[in-house]
């Protein structure tokens, strides 16, 4: 898709920046811990030892189903504005951090 343009003073030229987006869909989650919980999804760079995206949160009831009725048939989000450098990372993991509420 079209990118953004940035003017750089040092080189007196326009530099095109490309942004990428990644669609994530959680259709099924087999993790019922018997209490309400939150699932936090994010992308993690193991070499830099840090996450590089926002967290996407799904709140689950004690039966392991999403609390938000719109998410029962699939919780999804769009991770936006990933740069070309993000696509070149060598050790990337999708992390699901489970937090028990209660």
């Amino acid at each position: 898709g079209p990118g953004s343009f940035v003017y750089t003073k040092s080189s007196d030229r326009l530099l095109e920046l490309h942004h990428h987006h990644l669609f994530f869909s959680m259709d099924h989650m087999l993790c019922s811990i018997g209490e309400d919980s939150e699932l936090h999804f994010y992308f993690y760079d193991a070499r830099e030892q840090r996450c590089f995206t926002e967290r996407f949160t799904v709140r689950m009831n004690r039966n392991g189903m999403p609390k938000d009725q719109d998410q029962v048939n699939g919780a999804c989000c769009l991770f936006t504005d990933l740069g070309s450098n993000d696509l070149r990372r060598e050790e990337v993991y999708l992390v699901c951090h489970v937090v028990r509420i209660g």
Side-chain angles (χ1 to χ4, degrees):
S4 303
F5 291 91
V6 174
Y7 179 75
T8 59
K9 290 184 179 182
S10 62
S11 62
D12 292 332
R13 65 187 173 116
L14 286 176
L15 177 66
E16 185 175 8
L17 301 175
H18 293 279
H19 298 282
H20 306 278
H21 309 296
L22 191 128
F23 180 76
F24 170 75
S25 176
M26 181 189 82
D27 293 330
H28 302 287
M29 182 66 171
L30 301 174
C31 177
S32 178
I33 59 174
E35 296 187 47
D36 290 355
S37 59
E38 291 181 346
L39 308 178
H40 302 281
F41 295 93
Y42 55 92
F43 285 94
Y44 179 82
D45 184 319
R47 290 191 181 221
E48 294 182 12
Q49 298 182 350
R50 67 179 187 91
C51 60
F52 62 95
T53 62
E54 298 281 332
R55 291 178 184 236
F56 170 60
T57 300
V58 178
R59 288 174 178 78
M60 308 290 276
N61 65 25
R62 70 172 91 146
N63 299 319
M65 298 294 293
K67 283 187 164 186
D68 184 344
Q69 291 300 312
D70 292 336
Q71 295 179 335
V72 170
N73 292 323
C76 58
C77 80
L78 186 65
F79 290 98
T80 61
D81 296 330
L82 298 170
S84 296
N85 288 338
D86 292 325
L87 299 181
R88 286 192 283 273
R89 294 174 188 266
E90 293 183 19
E91 280 190 67
V92 174
Y93 297 92
L94 173 64
V95 175
C96 177
H97 180 190
V98 179
V99 178
R100 180 178 55 93
I101 307 297

